[in-house]
Amino acid sequence: DAGVTQSPTHLIKTRGQQVTLRCSPKSGHDTVSWYQQALGQGPQFIFQYYEEEERQRGNFPDRFSGHQFPNYSSELNVNALLLGDSALYLCASSSTWTSGISYNEQFFGPGTRLTVL
Amino acid sequence: GQQLNQSPQSMFIQEGEDVSMNCTSSSIFNTWLWYKQDPGEGPVLLIALYKAGELTSNGRLTAQFGITRKDSFLNISASIPSDVGIYFCAGARSRDDKIIFGKGTRLHILP
């Protein structure tokens, strides 16, 4: 049973560029959440996707956008990169009950380490 | 915004010792989660708590959901070298709400 997978594992970009990170959820999961983890900090919630729509959003600017595909995989896009965007970007997947309420038991991928120069 | 305060920030213990760490919030959470993160990896869920006062164990790990709903505790008994890592508490106001993470407790085991 494959867990959450993310690609690429590492990425180096320069300021002003755009980046796309990818995530495949754990088998049987339909909800994907994205987090930013700065060095020495806990993960910070960016947004969550369910049924191909953004369901919740944290306190991140519009430069951060996402997408979920019919197979539940997801992308995180960041435009106009800033030095402060350098971080580990984590994807987490979970299941949503038929009532629309999701479990909080999220399973994380290994992350993508983004360095902005 | 909501914040979770974890303590201690770091711990240095001898192998075999018991470990206690806690997490407090200024607001009520209805879900508490404990994760462990090893270097270069994503957090791994250890224990999930959904009811105030709940005490749940996972092997040598035991976590409690505080009765006030503003705190949670994690205990590790008889620590072993593989317990080294960063432990994060996380909370959510409801099962469909976003998860807020603490800053982590870094556990070191002295040789």
Side-chain angles (χ1 to χ4, degrees):
Chain A
D1 178 22
V4 180
T5 60
Q6 292 186 244
S7 63
T9 54
H10 296 87
L11 204 52
I12 298 175
K13 292 284 188 179
T14 57
R15 281 180 297 175
Q17 285 189 312
Q18 178 265 344
V19 68
T20 297
L21 310 181
R22 296 176 177 82
C23 170
S24 291
K26 181 179 169 65
S27 177
H29 286 181
D30 57 8
T31 302
V32 173
S33 302
W34 286 93
Y35 293 82
Q36 180 194 67
Q37 186 177 23
L39 201 60
Q41 301 294 316
Q44 296 288 315
F45 176 76
I46 302 175
F47 42 53
Q48 183 182 79
Y49 277 84
Y50 170 66
E51 291 190 339
E52 303 180 45
E53 291 189 356
E54 183 182 292
R55 180 158 67 175
Q56 294 189 67
R57 189 178 184 92
N59 189 26
F60 279 80
D62 292 343
R63 298 187 296 110
F64 290 78
S65 63
H67 188 76
Q68 186 179 34
F69 300 93
N71 66 353
Y72 308 122
S73 67
S74 177
E75 288 182 349
L76 164 66
N77 300 295
V78 186
N79 295 322
L81 285 167
L82 304 174
L83 295 179
D85 294 332
S86 295
L88 180 68
Y89 288 85
L90 294 163
C91 167
S93 72
S94 54
S95 294
T96 295
W97 297 340
T98 54
S99 63
I101 299 175
S102 67
Y103 287 102
N104 294 131
E105 296 173 17
Q106 298 185 358
F107 293 81
F108 283 82
T112 293
R113 173 72 61 187
L114 173 65
T115 302
V116 182
L117 303 176
Chain B
Q2 292 174 313
Q3 286 189 337
L4 293 182
N5 299 306
Q6 273 190 258
S7 64
Q9 289 187 342
S10 63
M11 304 180 69
F12 291 83
I13 63 168
Q14 298 282 348
E15 183 178 348
E17 288 185 7
D18 296 344
V19 173
S20 292
M21 59 189 78
N22 68 76
C23 191
T24 60
S25 169
S26 58
S27 54
I28 288 174
F29 285 114
N30 289 305
T31 298
W32 285 95
L33 306 161
W34 285 92
Y35 285 87
K36 178 175 183 274
Q37 186 174 29
D38 292 327
E41 298 184 12
V44 174
L45 181 65
L46 300 174
I47 294 177
L49 302 159
Y50 293 104
K51 187 177 179 181
E54 180 181 357
L55 186 71
T56 298
S57 293
N58 178 7
R60 294 177 296 104
L61 278 62
T62 301
Q64 184 161 22
F65 190 140
I67 199 71
T68 65
R69 300 186 179 183
K70 292 185 177 181
D71 57 9
S72 181
F73 305 87
L74 176 69
N75 295 316
I76 305 173
S77 62
S79 59
I80 60 177
S82 62
D83 291 334
V84 167
I86 304 175
Y87 292 80
F88 290 101
C89 67
R93 290 174 300 180
S94 64
R95 291 203 182 211
D96 59 352
D97 195 17
K98 62 180 181 290
I99 295 175
I100 308 296
F101 279 80
K103 292 187 176 183
T105 292
R106 287 151 183 77
L107 180 62
H108 307 269
I109 296 183
L110 300 171

